[in-house]
Amino acid sequence: MELSWTEFEKVEMRIGTILAVNDYPEARKPAYQLTIDFGSEIGIRKTSAQITKRYRKEDLLDRQIVAVVNFPKKQIGKFSSECLILGAVGQEGDVILLAPDFKIQNGLRIG
């Protein structure tokens, strides 16, 4: 299925910095709960991510990532996810996070 340019423009992908990482033992698959700063315009958002195969909690702190910030909130168990971090999914289901090469301003839009 092809997407029109107008449809693509509706997806808000932004740069954010991970402020906190917690285990999420209630998740069906191993996951972390993340708190991410998307700058003053968007603010702080929370999400969960199944990224435990490649990333330790301490490796994620202060790391910049790319996330979609304009999806509706999604209830995942008792946790409400407010954004979707983006990554490439390998054959084993491991996720490699998308990130800028250099430290940049939180909230910048991907285009």
Side-chain angles (χ1 to χ4, degrees):
M1 170 177 34
E2 289 187 1
L3 224 60
S4 72
W5 184 256
T6 304
E7 290 170 317
F8 174 72
E9 287 182 314
K10 292 179 185 177
V11 179
E12 265 195 67
M13 293 178 279
R14 301 284 184 135
I15 297 296
T17 299
I18 299 172
L19 301 177
V21 183
N22 296 300
D23 291 320
Y24 188 17
E26 297 86 7
R28 285 183 289 166
K29 295 182 181 179
Y32 294 131
Q33 291 177 335
L34 307 174
T35 303
I36 305 167
D37 179 3
F38 289 101
S40 60
E41 182 183 337
I42 296 167
I44 306 294
R45 300 273 177 100
K46 294 185 178 186
T47 192
S48 67
Q50 296 172 359
I51 55 175
T52 60
K53 285 186 180 181
R54 286 202 180 250
Y55 299 97
R56 297 176 303 159
K57 291 188 289 188
E58 55 270 20
D59 297 332
L60 293 167
L61 282 176
D62 297 318
R63 182 186 181 104
Q64 287 194 303
I65 51 82
V66 177
V68 176
V69 297
N70 65 332
F71 283 142
K73 290 182 182 180
K74 181 177 181 181
Q75 197 67 34
I76 303 170
K78 295 180 179 180
F79 185 75
S80 181
S81 181
E82 302 169 324
C83 62
L84 174 69
I85 63 170
L86 299 178
V89 182
Q91 290 180 332
E92 303 295 319
D94 56 329
V95 176
I96 298 90
L97 295 174
L98 299 184
D101 288 337
F102 304 99
K103 185 85 169 168
I104 57 176
Q105 181 182 340
N106 288 332
L108 288 180
R109 188 165 182 169
I110 305 300

